[in-house]
Amino acid sequence: VQLQASGGGLVQPGASLRLSCVYSEISMDYNAIGWFRQAPGLERERVSCISKGDDKTRYADSVKGRFTISRDAAKNTVYLQMNGLKSEDTAVYFCAATIDSQCRVLRARGQGTLVTVSS
């Protein structure tokens, strides 16, 4: 599976962004697509996850109620709608295909897109 994330940028606190992850299904050996982020000096954080089979979604506590993950299967694209952005959301965001349905074991990942939230 190959993945490419896009949609990052510089926004003010409270603004919204939508990230896109286009993936190509070279093989079928993955069970979910997830969004992850990593800020300088911090560990990678699993932000959100959507299962391939049933589109079940999961979110980190830090983004629940603000972020929404969705998939357009016809376009092979997974989106991350981010509302109410905060400065602590600043990070490089990337998408990844995972072996498990809870996005814990990465199978393949794409390059990241930088999200900067600052006034």
Side-chain angles (χ1 to χ4, degrees):
V1 180
Q2 294 181 342
L3 308 101
Q4 180 64 53
S6 63
L10 171 63
V11 296
Q12 293 186 340
S16 298
L17 277 176
R18 188 177 78 160
L19 305 183
S20 299
C21 172
V22 179
Y23 58 94
S24 60
E25 299 197 47
I26 298 175
S27 67
M28 302 297 287
D29 56 346
Y30 72 97
N31 286 291
I33 301 286
W35 282 99
F36 301 80
R37 66 187 182 187
Q38 188 156 22
L42 298 179
E43 293 187 355
R44 183 181 72 198
E45 179 183 16
R46 182 188 60 170
V47 176
S48 186
C49 179
I50 185 164
S51 300
K52 183 173 73 170
D54 57 7
D55 278 355
K56 182 173 182 177
T57 59
R58 294 174 171 85
Y59 298 93
D61 288 342
S62 58
V63 306
K64 278 181 182 176
R66 300 188 297 123
F67 291 11
T68 303
I69 191 171
S70 62
R71 174 174 37 206
D72 185 336
K75 295 182 179 180
N76 277 6
T77 302
V78 171
Y79 301 100
L80 185 68
Q81 178 67 43
M82 305 187 295
N83 299 327
L85 283 162
K86 306 175 181 179
S87 58
E88 51 263 44
D89 295 318
T90 295
V92 173
Y93 287 70
F94 66 92
C95 55
T98 64
I99 295 172
D100 63 306
S101 62
Q102 299 182 33
C103 294
R104 298 187 185 280
V105 183
L106 273 61
R107 168 70 175 81
R109 58 164 288 179
Q111 291 186 338
T113 184
L114 177 62
V115 173
T116 303
V117 185
S118 175
S119 56

